[in-house]
Every structure is written in structure tokens, then in C-alpha cells.
């Protein structure tokens, strides 16, 4: 169906219409006209968007969808439904499934199953067989089949020699490794940030040192091999400082931060709500301030959701035995707006840079281009409830709360979905 979006402010630094308020016509999946005043054609759906913003569709670098094997947590249908409602037209899915995405057959399975969806699915292949950190997975074969990068999910490659060999191997075919920054020997079996607050709560903490030691290891290896590495979900002020220096030194490093790390702090743990149990753990206000500064100065390249769905029996238990993670696809945008991020910064960190990191084509809001965009109202308030939660899981501390910043429309692959 053809579509006319009226009176929309465009946020796309690659577009000649950036920061301008225009009407946009979409016909047969492509943008055919952009002007200040367009008259609606016959058989054209009109979407009034005064006060809203249109940007290229968001892309998530770090999303867990349980297909195959963990469909009781999330499947492709519910995962992409939640992604659409959050403004995402593309998601990179983690290999932590059953079976693990560690060969071309699993990559092909995901791509075939996701065909025809509004949301583009990009598989991340495992670095090691079965995520065990012992034998290299079939990374080259997975890349030729369609894997966009390689990850161990929320697992850390503890063997320095294995990580070194993986970087060297991936460099041979321009592969990108995505690492999770946690030194397990330092973090041990702790569950929260190490701080005065968590000590008072009687919980053993994970120090910032655990994250920063692992980042240091990966930076040394990346420098030694001249290989790129992407560090996902950094959470400490020290991590920002280290990566900023590494970039100045010419090391090929990029990184992202989870949206919830820009708002939530370990002060929220006083109620022992397991929905705040994430890894890396919620840190201090000083860390949040440093992360926001790192986003603004370009040290942090992208923002991810770290969407981790879980059945109720994994979260509605004592804090210490609860699973890590929250569902986050639908709530990333409101958190970024709450953190004070501008539309320009949001489009850079949520739409453009994620695709650039994975060497994917970046949508541009211009005449003649394929239509791939999100429309959202940054001031619209809405209630996040079980009725409008599209995920199969419900492990979010934001459920039944009023949020500000509402996705109203997403368009991609000649399909659109509105949320009025």
C-alpha cells in the first residue's frame, strides 16, 4: 500500500532534508517524493505526523531470540514484533541458541525462516564450537552463508591464546569479532556491581576491574594482530577511558553500550528486584555520566538493547539465583530520551553506526531510495503493559510504568506497521 507521511521532521545526517519538516511519499517500497506540501493521491494511506521525527530504521547489535531451541523465551515472530514496536527494522541475533549458531546450516536456517519479514535478521555466528572456547567454529563458512560478525553471546573467551588465534583467523577474511568484557577469575560468582551500596545490601560485587582487565587483553591482541575487535556492552568509566586512548593509538576497536546502562544504576537494587539483574551489572552514577560523555565524544560507537528474554520461572525467584537480563527492544528509545540524547545522536548510535560497523547498507531518507525508517514522537507518553508488550517474555522493570517517547510507525521491505 502506498503511504504519505505528513509534516514530519527528518533526522538523517546523510539526507539533504536533515532537520527539515516535510511530507514524504512512499510508493511500492521506495521514497518517491519529499517536499513541504504534498497532496494525497487516491488510494494512498495518509499518516499525520506533526510533532514527530522520522529517521532511518534502528538496528540492534545485540539481541537474543531463542529460535532455534529456546522458543519458550522468544521466537522469531514475537522477537520481530517487539523489535518493530521499538522502532527496529534490523536486529543482529546472538548465537546462544540450541543448537548454537556455529555452522552455515544454522545461519541458513535463520535467514530462510526470517524471509519476508519487515525486520531484517542478521545472524551472529559463534566464535567457538558450542560456545565452549575450545575449537574455532566454522566462521568463514558462516560468513559466506550470511553471518555478519562473530560472538560468544554473554560468554567470555577466557583462553588468551584461543582469542589470539580467533582474531588472526577472522582477519584473513575480514571477519569481525564481538567480545563480552568480563574477566571471570575476577568477577567469580558475584551478581552485582562492587560498590558501597551493594556491600550494604550484603551482596558480593563484580568490580570494574573485571571488565577493564578483559578489555585490556582484547586491546593488546587487536593491536598485535592489526585486527578489528568490537567490545559489546561496556559499563564503566574506566572502559570508556581505555577505549578512547586505544582509538587515539590507532587500535581498530569499536564498542557499544546497552540502553539501560545509561539510566539505571545500582541504587535500584535496594528492592532486590531481579528484573534489574543484568550483566554487566548496573554501575554507579559516575559510570553513567562517563558513558554518556563517551557517546557524545564518539568513543562509544553504538547503543544496543541487550534484549534477553526469560520465562517467569527464571526471574521470579531470589535475586542470587535469577537469570541475567531484561527484555529491552520496546523500551530502548524511551530510555535514551530519558537520558537526554538528541534525535541526531539517537539516529547516529541506533541506526547508522550499527550498520556501518557490520558493513551493511545504510538507509538514507532521499528520493529514489528504498524506504526503511521509523517515526516516533519524543514527547508522547504511553503505558507499557502486558497488553502492548509484544515479547513472549515479561522480564522488564519498566512494565506497568509510564514511558515517554512512542514509536508510531515503522517501514521496511515494502511493509509498514503503525502504533497509533
Amino acid at each position: 500500500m502506498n503511504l504519505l507521511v505528513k509534516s514530519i521532521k527528518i533526522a538523517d545526517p546523510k539526507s539533504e532534508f536533515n532537520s527539515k519538516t516535510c511530507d514524504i511519499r512512499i510508493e511500492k517500497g521506495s521514497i518517491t517524493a519529499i517536499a513541504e506540501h504534498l497532496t494525497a493521491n487516491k488510494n494512498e494511506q495518509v499518516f499525520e505526523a506533526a510533532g514527530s521525527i522520522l529517521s532511518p530504521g534502528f538496528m540492534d547489535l545485540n539481541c537474543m531470540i531463542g529460535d532455534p531451541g529456546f522458543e519458550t523465551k522468544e521466537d522469531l515472530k514475537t522477537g520481530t514484533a517487539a523489535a518493530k514496536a521499538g522502532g527496529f527494522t534490523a536486529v543482529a541475533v546472538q548465537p546462544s541458541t540450541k543448537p548454537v549458531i556455529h555452522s552455515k546450516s544454522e545461519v541458513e536456517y535463520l535467514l530462510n525462516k526470517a524471509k519476508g519479514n519487515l525486520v531484517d535478521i542478521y545472524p551472529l555466528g559463534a566464535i567457538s564450537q558450542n560456545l565452549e572456547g575450545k575449537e574455532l567454529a566454522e566462521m568463514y563458512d558462516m560468513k559466506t552463508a550470511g553471518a555478519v560478525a562473530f560472538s560468544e553471546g554473554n560468554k567470555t573467551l577466557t583462553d588468551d591464546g584461543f582469542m589470539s588465534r580467533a582474531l588472526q583467523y577472522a582477519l584473513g577474511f575480514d571477519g569481525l569479532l564481538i567480545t563480552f568484557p568480563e574477566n571471570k577469575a575476577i568477577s567469580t560468582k558475584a551478581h552485582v556491581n562492587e560498590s558501597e551500596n551493594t556491600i550494604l545490601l550484603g551482596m558480593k560485587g563484580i568490580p570494574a576491574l573485571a571488565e577493564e582487565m578483559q578489555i585490556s587483553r582484547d586491546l593488546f591482541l587487536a593491536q598485535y594482530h592489526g585486527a578489528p575487535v568490537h567490545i559489546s556492552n561496556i559499563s564503566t568509566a574506566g572502559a570508556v577511558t581505555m577505549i578512547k586512548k586505544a582509538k587515539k593509538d590507532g587500535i581498530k576497536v569499536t564498542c557499544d553500550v546497552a540502553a539501560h546502562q545509561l539510566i539505571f544504576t545500582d541504587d535500584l537494587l535496594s528492592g532486590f528486584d531481579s528484573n534489574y539483574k543484568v550483566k554487566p551489572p548496573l554501575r554507579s552514577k559516575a559510570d553513567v555520566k562517563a558513558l554518556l560523555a563517551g557517546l557524545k565524544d564518539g568513543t562509544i560507537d553504538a547503543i544496543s538493547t541487550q534484549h534477553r528474554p526469560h520465562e517467569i520461572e527464571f526471574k521470579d525467584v531470589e535475586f542470587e539465583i535469577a537469570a541475567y537480563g531484561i527484555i529491552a527492544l520496546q523500551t530502548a528509545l524511551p530510555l535514551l530520551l530519558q537520558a537526554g540524547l538528541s534525535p541526531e545522536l539517537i539516529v547516529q548510535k541506533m541506526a547508522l553506526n550499527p550498520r556501518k560497523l557490520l558493513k551493511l547498507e545504510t538507509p538514507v531518507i532521499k528520493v529514489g531510495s528504498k524506504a526503511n525508517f521509523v517515526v516516533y514522537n519524543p514527547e508522547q507518553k504511553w503505558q507499557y503493559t502486558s497488553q502492548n508488550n509484544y515479547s513472549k517474555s515479561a522480564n522488564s522493570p519498566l512494565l506497568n510504568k509510564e514511558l515517554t517517547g512512542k514509536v508510531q510507525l515503522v517501514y521496511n521491505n515494502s511493509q509498514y506497521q503503525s502504533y497509533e
Side-chain angles (χ1 to χ4, degrees):
M1 184 181 290
N2 296 335
L3 182 67
L4 179 64
V5 183
K6 299 282 290 182
S7 305
I8 188 74
K9 184 176 181 180
I10 297 172
D12 180 7
K14 298 175 71 176
S15 171
E16 63 178 295
F17 299 97
N18 186 38
S19 298
K20 295 180 180 178
T21 299
C22 305
D23 296 348
I24 300 179
R25 172 168 285 127
I26 300 96
E27 298 176 293
K28 297 180 180 179
S30 296
I31 297 174
T32 57
I34 303 177
E36 284 191 10
H37 300 289
L38 294 173
T39 303
N41 295 330
K42 189 178 180 181
N43 299 323
E44 185 172 61
Q45 183 74 35
V46 177
F47 187 87
E48 295 289 347
S52 296
I53 293 167
L54 181 147
S55 83
F58 301 149
M59 177 173 187
D60 187 25
L61 285 171
N62 190 331
C63 177
M64 179 64 198
I65 291 180
D67 197 349
F70 296 116
E71 291 90 348
T72 53
K73 298 177 184 291
E74 196 84 278
D75 57 34
L76 277 172
K77 183 178 179 180
T78 58
T80 54
K84 283 187 290 187
F88 293 90
T89 58
V91 292
V93 295
Q94 290 288 353
S96 312
T97 51
K98 189 177 183 180
V100 171
I101 310 301
H102 60 186
S103 72
K104 67 178 182 180
S105 60
E106 292 90 21
V107 172
E108 290 168 348
Y109 163 82
L110 274 176
L111 293 175
N112 286 331
K113 193 165 184 180
K115 278 181 180 177
N117 206 303
L118 184 152
V119 179
D120 296 318
I121 296 293
Y122 293 99
L124 298 173
I127 299 172
S128 70
Q129 289 283 350
N130 291 313
L131 303 177
E132 293 174 348
K134 296 176 181 178
E135 296 181 26
L136 286 173
E138 301 171 7
M139 288 193 279
Y140 177 74
D141 284 350
M142 285 190 283
K143 183 169 184 181
T144 59
V148 291
F150 305 94
S151 163
E152 294 286 277
N154 277 13
K155 288 190 172 184
T156 303
L157 284 172
T158 57
D159 186 321
D160 301 339
F162 185 92
M163 179 64 181
S164 179
R165 292 189 295 276
L167 280 169
Q168 192 173 18
Y169 176 52
L171 183 61
F173 58 87
D174 197 28
L176 176 66
L177 299 194
I178 298 177
T179 66
F180 181 74
E182 181 189 24
N183 185 303
K184 294 292 291 183
I186 300 295
S187 65
T188 62
K189 295 182 180 180
H191 302 277
V192 295
N193 181 43
E194 183 181 81
S195 68
E196 290 183 6
N197 181 51
T198 55
I199 289 171
L200 288 173
L201 293 174
M203 293 191 284
K204 187 177 181 181
I206 302 173
L209 179 68
E211 180 169 318
E212 292 154 16
M213 282 184 68
Q214 200 67 24
I215 290 173
S216 177
R217 192 276 308 262
D218 290 345
L219 292 176
F220 273 119
L221 290 175
Q223 183 178 38
Y224 179 75
H225 291 294
V229 65
H230 180 83
I231 301 168
S232 192
N233 297 140
I234 68 168
S235 67
T236 72
V240 176
T241 300
M242 293 169 68
I243 293 170
K244 186 173 186 177
K245 181 181 184 302
K247 287 188 171 188
K248 286 182 179 178
D249 291 343
I251 299 174
K252 298 175 184 177
V253 59
T254 51
C255 65
D256 67 68
V257 62
H260 56 258
Q261 297 283 6
L262 303 173
I263 288 291
F264 299 158
T265 65
D266 63 6
D267 294 336
L268 294 167
L269 300 178
S270 58
F272 296 97
D273 182 350
S274 64
N275 285 318
Y276 287 114
K277 185 179 180 180
V278 292
K279 187 175 275 195
L282 301 180
R283 302 288 188 181
S284 69
K285 292 177 181 177
D287 290 309
V288 169
K289 184 177 179 181
L291 292 168
L292 288 168
L295 278 170
K296 292 171 183 176
D297 69 18
T299 301
I300 301 175
D301 301 272
I303 298 168
S304 64
T305 68
Q306 206 188 25
H307 179 75
R308 296 292 184 270
H310 290 295
E311 302 93 333
I312 189 170
E313 59 265 30
F314 287 91
K315 293 297 276 188
D316 191 16
V317 292
E318 293 87 348
F319 191 94
E320 289 200 352
I321 63 173
Y324 292 99
I326 60 175
I327 55 170
L329 286 165
Q330 287 182 243
T331 55
L333 177 64
L335 289 179
L336 302 188
L337 292 168
Q338 186 180 342
L341 272 60
S342 67
E344 293 75 20
L345 198 59
I346 290 172
V347 68
Q348 197 75 49
K349 308 297 184 180
M350 288 268 281
L352 305 184
N353 284 2
R355 291 180 172 91
K356 181 180 177 182
L357 289 170
L358 299 178
K359 299 182 180 178
L360 301 172
E361 183 180 355
T362 303
V364 183
I365 309 303
K366 67 176 183 179
V367 174
S369 70
K370 176 188 170 185
N372 182 342
F373 60 79
V374 55
V375 173
Y376 66 91
N377 187 317
E379 297 180 358
Q380 183 176 345
K381 297 183 183 300
W382 60 288
Q383 199 81 11
Y384 183 38
T385 67
S386 58
Q387 283 71 44
N388 59 19
N389 171 33
Y390 292 92
S391 173
K392 189 174 283 190
S393 296
N395 50 304
S396 170
L398 296 174
L399 270 175
N400 301 314
K401 293 186 179 179
E402 185 180 75
L403 305 177
T404 302
K406 179 83 162 55
V407 169
Q408 299 174 313
L409 178 74
V410 282
Y411 195 111
N412 188 34
N413 295 330
S414 300
Q415 303 172 54
Y416 75 91
Q417 180 73 53
S418 62
Y419 301 94
E420 294 184 86

